[in-house]
Amino acid sequence: MLFLLANRVGETVLAVKLVFVVVEAVGIGALLLILRTAGEPREHILLYVWHPLPIWEIAGRGISTPQLLRLLC
C-alpha cells in the first residue's frame, strides 16, 4: 500500500523515502496524541524524535520495516 502511494508521488527512490518520512511524521503525531490523552508531558517523545536512527534507516536507506510495524499495531 505504501509503495503504491509512493508510486503515485513519483517513480523514484526519493518518492518512496519521502512517503516513509511522512508516515513517520504521522506516527510521531499519533504518539503525541497518545501522550496528551494519557496526561503525560509531551517532552517524553523528544528522545525518540531526536534520535538519528529513524532518520538514517527510513530516510537514508528507505527501510520499510518501521512502516509495516505501524500497520500491525
Side-chain angles (χ1 to χ4, degrees):
M1 185 86 166
L2 290 174
F3 291 107
L4 178 64
L5 179 64
N7 192 7
R8 300 288 179 180
V9 173
E11 295 183 1
T12 64
V13 175
L14 183 61
V16 172
K17 291 179 181 182
L18 179 65
V19 168
F20 287 174
V21 169
V22 169
V23 169
E24 184 70 20
V26 169
I28 290 169
L31 288 173
L32 284 171
L33 183 64
I34 291 170
L35 285 174
R36 183 184 312 157
T37 304
E40 297 290 330
R42 61 182 185 195
E43 288 81 17
H44 287 173
I45 200 168
L46 290 179
L47 289 175
Y48 176 76
V49 174
W50 281 351
H51 196 280
L53 185 62
I55 296 169
W56 288 336
E57 292 297 321
I58 296 167
R61 294 184 183 183
I63 306 278
S64 62
T65 306
Q67 284 73 26
L68 295 174
L69 290 174
R70 286 194 204 300
L71 293 174
L72 291 175
C73 296

